[in-house]
Amino acid sequence: MPALELRIAETIAPVPATRLRTLLEKPNAVVLRRNHLVEPEGTEPSLCERLRVTCVLAVDITHPPEPNAPKTTGPDDAGEELSGDTEHVQEEHDEFAESFAKGIEFFISTEKGPVLLYADFDELTSALTLFDAYERIARYQPAYLRLDQRSVGIGYGFREGLVVGIAGELPDLREDAVSSFDSISSLRELDDVRAGRMLVRLPHAGIRYLQALLEGAGDWLDRNSYKSILGA
């Protein structure tokens, strides 16, 4: 039965790779946050202990964004009224200025201790294609059986170094046993020689769990914006 693998870089790059971390670690800034913990219904407590996702809206209130700032136009655009499509593009551009960011926090429990990683909102759509691909392969068994069962058949890498993969067969895996988390060995042939990586492996239920987390985070962040964090 397939399982979920989370491969985490042991060291984070010195330069932030995500807009969210850049804002949260911005020097000499007062950052206001609004958090939302994603909690899918019917989730096994053992999975929640190993992996959690929190939606984050963050704004630098020392230099707040200006959603109504006029757009810089070229000579040909002078005097023309903004169309509805242009207004929508302008709104998105202003909302994701350097003073505002939205994304998610991954809290992952590893053998070496807890790890906190960030992902921007625009990464979620690409990450969810991983589960769409898995569903397509699972429905077509001959294609799945041709995958190398010793390796991650499909995967997605986030900007901060978290690599999510769906691994092959795990014989004698009991999803209802909490002890199975400690007994599953890592796939050594997948070690990345370029950088040290920690591995967290969750049973088959973890695949749907992470999918539900990312879908819930995407829905919440899609409904909330800069106005939401100020309660407007």
Side-chain angles (χ1 to χ4, degrees), residues 2-214:
L4 180 71
E5 285 194 352
L6 307 174
R7 303 183 69 81
I8 308 156
E10 291 184 344
T11 57
I12 297 177
V15 179
T18 58
R19 185 188 304 271
L20 184 57
R21 183 182 289 275
T22 300
L23 180 60
L24 294 176
E25 298 181 353
K26 189 176 181 180
N28 302 319
V30 178
V31 179
L32 179 66
R33 294 177 46 148
R34 183 183 177 195
N35 302 329
H36 170 73
L37 179 63
V38 184
E39 298 179 294
E41 296 182 1
T43 303
E44 298 177 10
S46 56
L47 291 174
C48 297
E49 293 174 359
R50 300 298 300 274
L51 174 64
R52 292 199 299 271
V53 163
T54 302
C55 301
V56 180
L57 298 176
V59 61
D60 176 10
I61 60 175
T62 56
H63 301 90
E66 300 178 4
N68 297 322
K71 178 182 177 183
T72 302
T73 59
D76 296 337
D77 298 329
E80 294 184 3
E81 294 184 359
L82 295 175
S83 65
D85 293 341
T86 307
E87 288 178 352
H88 179 68
V89 172
Q90 173 67 8
E91 180 182 354
E92 289 185 350
H93 173 74
D94 292 331
E95 183 178 74
F96 288 92
E98 294 181 357
S99 297
F100 176 78
K102 62 180 179 179
I104 60 175
E105 286 180 334
F106 286 100
F107 177 86
I108 305 172
S109 177
T110 73
E111 294 180 355
K112 297 183 179 181
V115 176
L116 185 64
L117 297 171
Y118 296 99
D120 288 328
F121 174 60
D122 61 353
E123 295 185 82
L124 295 183
T125 301
S126 299
L128 285 170
T129 60
L130 169 70
F131 303 98
D132 180 63
Y134 169 66
E135 290 176 355
R136 293 173 184 269
I137 293 175
R139 288 197 299 265
Y140 187 63
Q141 288 299 319
Y144 181 76
L145 293 175
R146 285 198 295 269
L147 290 176
D148 185 353
Q149 299 298 304
R150 299 169 302 168
S151 63
V152 173
I154 50 179
Y156 176 80
F158 289 89
R159 292 174 188 147
E160 289 211 344
L162 171 64
V163 178
V164 178
I166 297 179
E169 286 295 313
L170 289 182
D172 302 326
L173 175 62
R174 294 177 300 164
E175 293 185 12
D176 58 342
V178 179
S179 60
S180 64
F181 291 111
D182 301 322
S183 62
I184 301 174
S185 62
S186 63
L187 298 179
R188 298 189 179 276
E189 65 270 26
L190 295 177
D191 288 343
D192 190 342
V193 297
R194 296 170 297 176
R197 287 187 180 273
M198 298 175 286
L199 177 67
V200 174
R201 204 168 190 190
L202 304 180
H204 188 254
I207 299 174
R208 298 303 181 205
Y209 172 58
L210 179 56
Q211 181 180 10
L213 288 176
L214 296 182

Side-chain angles (χ1 to χ4, degrees), residues 34 57-58 91 95-96 100 102 220-231:
R34 183 183 177 195
L57 298 176
E91 180 182 354
E95 183 178 74
F96 288 92
F100 176 78
K102 62 180 179 179
W220 189 88
L221 290 170
D222 191 50
R223 296 192 308 268
N224 290 273
S225 62
Y226 169 61
K227 294 180 180 180
S228 303
I229 196 171
L230 301 177

